[in-house]
Amino acid sequence: MFYIIGLGLCDEKDITVRGLEAVKGCSRVYLEAYTSILMIQKEKLEAFYGKELIAADRDMVETESDEILRNADKEDIALLVVGDPFGATTHTDIVLRARSLKIPVRVVHNASIMNAVGACGLQLYNFGQTVSLVFFTETWKPDSFYDRIKENADLGMHTLVLLDIKVKEQSEENLARGRKIYEPPRYMSITQAVSQLAEIEEIRQSGTLDPHKTLAIAVSRVGGGEGQEKIVCGTLAELLSQPPEVFGEPLHSLVIVGKRLHYLEVEYAQAYAVNPETWRNVAHNAYGCALE
Amino acid sequence: MFYIIGLGLCDEKDITVRGLEAVKGCSRVYLEAYTSILMIQKEKLEAFYGKELIAADRDMVETESDEILRNADKEDIALLVVGDPFGATTHTDIVLRARSLKIPVRVVHNASIMNAVGACGLQLYNFGQTVSLVFFTETWKPDSFYDRIKENADLGMHTLVLLDIKVKEQSEENLARGRKIYEPPRYMSITQAVSQLAEIEEIRQSGTLDPHKTLAIAVSRVGGGEGQEKIVCGTLAELLSQPPEVFGEPLHSLVIVGKRLHYLEVEYAQAYAVNPETWRNVAHNAYGCALE
């Protein structure tokens, strides 16, 4: 059997009992370590499982799937992924490959940011499509995310914005010289995300991301409990003016609040507001939310 | 501490290690049993946890939250919910109440249908707002879901349709006589859901849910593994013509496929198709999906 097991969002204890049992019975266990990171190190996971983990980067999962799947028709092999196996990054390719090799597959689901973002207090029902925001460079500022957010916003829906992660980046020099030396991982901060949104709003001018009339909620380490999870909300302008430590440690995500806002949601998130008064005022005046 | 713990989607082993540890340390543990059901009985959960569970129906969670929260400032109390605490049904009310009583709250996330539906092979990114479909009666056929699906479809997005559940229903007679006798639970079947969609399409005629040109994917017991999980796809007309047992046991959900369809997604879901040829043809001809 080939298991793809979601690890959830925080640490070694977020695996399910079913997932843990499967890991313990596997002869090889791969840990996928590219799209997002748990808050803990591989060694801690290994100690908890009592198993050695084989690190599998993006290259390996994509190009060496046959090695990962080797003997999975006879033994149990697992691939561990952060979040859910069908969350922000899907694992359909390796499932397709397993199918073609007639290897049975079992997926063990878990929380991913795609559902745990509900922790910010907004109804998941009212989220539209999800958007990814990549690091802008001097010469490359892809802005199609703006159209997606606008499509959602025009219908009153919220948008979950996933922020870029750069893992295993090579400097231009190392790349040119073919040296497999990697830069330290980079995670987009809320400040950078909001300033990229502002940059494109400045060009497009549709008002979709008006800095003073658009509410947003920054989340990090959802489910991490006291001292880990951070939820901070306000207008885009307010979020931009906060010092970075306010938003906690990466990974961060950002929710652009749509017009379908219920007063109970405003109430709930108010506890996380940079300024509760602005929060309520904008919800009332710009969003037309009838507050009690 | 007041814990709200997601149980995931299938059985006792879908709880996370963190969730299980919390349950074991609690002095009272409530099991919320109204919005959706696990595939197993309360007694099995109790045996697994080594704890008695107090059943909490919708009434109780809404009207007796103070009883649930009693002493949670001094002891650990848990409320167990199927799926994720902020999934299809949110638990913001009881969190707000706990906050006002200065009781610390910890949420333990888990998979919910809102993210596990990715198992059907479609990218979660491209899902729009989620829709609920309630049982039609002779005199009450609420059809606002149609507008929501159309909003999504017009942008090419997929729609997750959650099907109605009736738990603790009273017959008109028992209701009139004030007798607290409840009907057996009812779960909307895929056949009933698709025929309700057809009924409204017949009236609205926008083509959004054209029976022969709209692809849909029925899922049940996602994550339940061999013999439990069922995924079946085809045109709405094809799904309507299947015998009910094809779709497996409840709970069912239905995905209306939007136009943003990638050939790899078509490929992936083809394994679940009522008729792989129609599946590919409609994806190609009606959806404009370039198949390899």
Side-chain angles (χ1 to χ4, degrees):
Chain A
M1 177 80 80
F2 176 58
Y3 289 95
I4 311 185
I5 300 173
L7 296 183
L9 293 167
C10 300
D11 63 27
E12 74 278 10
K13 293 191 175 171
D14 286 319
I15 195 170
T16 64
V17 172
R18 163 167 289 113
L20 184 59
E21 284 183 1
V23 168
K24 287 185 183 288
C26 281
S27 46
R28 293 197 314 281
V29 183
Y30 295 87
L31 173 66
E32 183 191 64
Y34 64 85
T35 42
S36 47
I37 45 148
L38 284 182
M39 298 166 198
I40 52 157
Q41 301 301 313
K42 179 167 161 272
E43 292 68 32
K44 243 189 147 171
L45 287 176
E46 289 179 323
F48 187 72
Y49 302 148
K51 283 264 171 191
E52 201 187 318
L53 300 180
I54 307 163
D57 60 17
R58 181 194 287 261
D59 263 12
M60 182 166 179
V61 175
E62 283 179 2
T63 62
E64 295 173 45
S65 56
D66 281 11
E67 168 54 22
I68 294 175
L69 293 168
R70 179 171 50 83
N71 287 340
D73 50 341
K74 295 186 280 287
E75 338 168 4
D76 287 345
I77 310 293
L79 174 64
L80 309 183
V81 307
V82 176
D84 183 74
F86 295 108
T89 307
T90 66
H91 293 82
T92 48
D93 290 34
I94 199 162
V95 174
L96 279 171
R97 183 65 188 148
R99 275 192 203 157
S100 74
L101 296 169
K102 306 237 186 302
I103 293 169
V105 177
R106 174 87 197 251
V107 173
V108 180
H109 289 282
N110 209 321
S112 69
I113 188 64
M114 309 292 274
N115 72 331
V117 68
C120 74
L122 298 176
Q123 293 265 7
L124 280 185
Y125 274 94
N126 290 330
F127 278 73
Q129 60 200 317
T130 302
V131 156
S132 292
L133 188 62
V134 301
F135 281 112
F136 284 1
T137 67
E138 280 303 302
T139 51
W140 193 59
K141 304 188 180 202
D143 62 358
S144 62
F145 71 85
Y146 189 92
D147 304 298
R148 302 285 93 78
I149 295 176
K150 185 171 187 309
E151 286 172 348
N152 288 341
D154 288 348
L155 295 170
M157 294 190 250
H158 315 305
T159 306
L160 170 61
V161 184
L162 302 174
L163 309 192
D164 203 2
I165 303 169
K166 291 280 186 204
V167 186
K168 285 197 109 181
E169 255 185 317
Q170 285 168 286
S171 68
E172 280 186 26
E173 195 190 331
N174 285 328
L175 193 65
R177 293 172 184 250
R179 290 190 296 219
K180 293 210 160 179
I181 300 171
Y182 302 104
E183 303 299 301
R186 289 194 297 149
Y187 307 100
M188 189 186 288
S189 68
I190 292 295
T191 311
Q192 178 152 19
V194 175
S195 79
Q196 290 193 181
L197 300 183
E199 195 175 335
I200 303 303
E201 175 64 32
E202 193 64 28
I203 298 166
R204 301 288 198 94
Q205 295 276 350
S206 78
T208 300
L209 296 173
D210 183 303
H212 300 285
K213 292 182 186 159
T214 309
L215 298 174
I217 309 180
V219 300
S220 89
R221 306 210 160 183
V222 173
E226 196 67 37
Q228 288 281 353
E229 179 177 283
K230 284 267 186 188
I231 304 178
V232 181
C233 64
T235 63
L236 288 173
E238 283 175 334
L239 295 186
L240 195 57
S241 69
Q242 298 305 302
E245 63 271 20
V246 166
F247 301 111
E249 299 294 314
L251 299 179
H252 298 102
S253 304
L254 185 68
V255 177
I256 307 296
V257 181
K259 292 281 194 279
R260 278 188 215 160
L261 190 59
H262 190 269
Y263 81 88
L264 265 179
E265 296 174 311
V266 177
E267 209 75 38
Y268 188 90
Q270 185 175 317
Y272 310 122
V274 167
N275 179 334
E277 206 180 330
T278 341
W279 176 255
R280 293 179 71 87
N281 283 344
V282 176
H284 185 264
N285 299 327
Y287 281 66
C289 191
L291 300 179
E292 290 214 322
Chain B
M1 176 81 81
F2 177 57
Y3 288 95
I4 311 184
I5 300 173
L7 296 183
L9 293 166
C10 300
D11 63 27
E12 73 278 10
K13 292 190 175 174
D14 286 319
I15 195 170
T16 64
V17 172
R18 162 167 289 113
L20 185 59
E21 284 182 2
V23 168
K24 287 186 183 288
C26 282
S27 45
R28 294 197 314 280
V29 182
Y30 294 87
L31 173 66
E32 184 191 63
Y34 62 86
T35 41
S36 47
I37 45 149
L38 284 181
M39 299 166 197
I40 53 157
Q41 301 301 313
K42 178 166 162 272
E43 292 68 33
K44 242 189 147 172
L45 287 176
E46 290 179 323
F48 187 72
Y49 303 147
K51 284 262 171 193
E52 200 187 318
L53 300 180
I54 307 163
D57 60 16
R58 181 194 288 262
D59 263 12
M60 183 165 178
V61 175
E62 284 178 1
T63 63
E64 295 173 46
S65 57
D66 281 11
E67 168 54 23
I68 294 176
L69 293 168
R70 180 172 50 83
N71 288 339
D73 49 342
K74 296 187 279 287
E75 338 169 3
D76 288 343
I77 310 293
L79 173 64
L80 309 183
V81 307
V82 176
D84 183 74
F86 295 108
T89 308
T90 67
H91 293 82
T92 48
D93 289 36
I94 199 163
V95 174
L96 280 171
R97 184 64 189 149
R99 274 191 203 159
S100 74
L101 297 168
K102 306 237 186 304
I103 293 169
V105 177
R106 174 86 195 250
V107 172
V108 181
H109 289 283
N110 209 320
S112 69
I113 188 63
M114 310 291 274
N115 72 329
V117 68
C120 74
L122 298 176
Q123 293 264 7
L124 280 185
Y125 275 95
N126 290 329
F127 279 72
Q129 60 200 316
T130 302
V131 156
S132 292
L133 188 62
V134 301
F135 281 112
F136 284 0
T137 66
E138 280 303 303
T139 51
W140 194 60
K141 305 189 180 202
D143 63 358
S144 62
F145 71 85
Y146 188 93
D147 304 298
R148 302 285 94 80
I149 295 175
K150 185 170 187 308
E151 287 172 347
N152 287 341
D154 288 349
L155 295 170
M157 294 190 251
H158 315 306
T159 306
L160 170 62
V161 183
L162 302 173
L163 308 191
D164 204 2
I165 303 169
K166 291 280 187 202
V167 187
K168 285 195 110 183
E169 254 186 319
Q170 286 168 284
S171 68
E172 280 186 26
E173 195 190 332
N174 285 328
L175 192 65
R177 292 171 185 251
R179 290 190 297 219
K180 293 210 161 179
I181 300 172
Y182 302 105
E183 303 299 301
R186 289 193 297 150
Y187 307 100
M188 189 186 288
S189 68
I190 292 295
T191 311
Q192 178 153 17
V194 175
S195 80
Q196 290 192 182
L197 299 183
E199 196 175 335
I200 303 303
E201 175 64 32
E202 194 63 29
I203 299 166
R204 301 288 198 94
Q205 295 277 348
S206 79
T208 300
L209 295 172
D210 183 302
H212 300 284
K213 292 183 185 157
T214 308
L215 298 175
I217 309 180
V219 300
S220 89
R221 305 209 160 183
V222 173
E226 196 67 37
Q228 288 280 353
E229 178 176 284
K230 285 267 186 188
I231 305 179
V232 181
C233 64
T235 63
L236 288 173
E238 283 175 333
L239 295 185
L240 196 56
S241 67
Q242 299 304 301
E245 62 271 20
V246 166
F247 302 110
E249 298 295 315
L251 299 179
H252 298 103
S253 303
L254 185 69
V255 177
I256 306 297
V257 181
K259 293 279 194 281
R260 278 187 215 159
L261 190 57
H262 190 269
Y263 81 88
L264 264 178
E265 296 174 311
V266 178
E267 209 76 38
Y268 189 89
Q270 185 175 317
Y272 310 121
V274 168
N275 179 333
E277 207 179 329
T278 342
W279 176 254
R280 293 179 70 88
N281 283 344
V282 175
H284 186 264
N285 299 327
Y287 281 67
C289 191
L291 299 179
E292 289 215 323

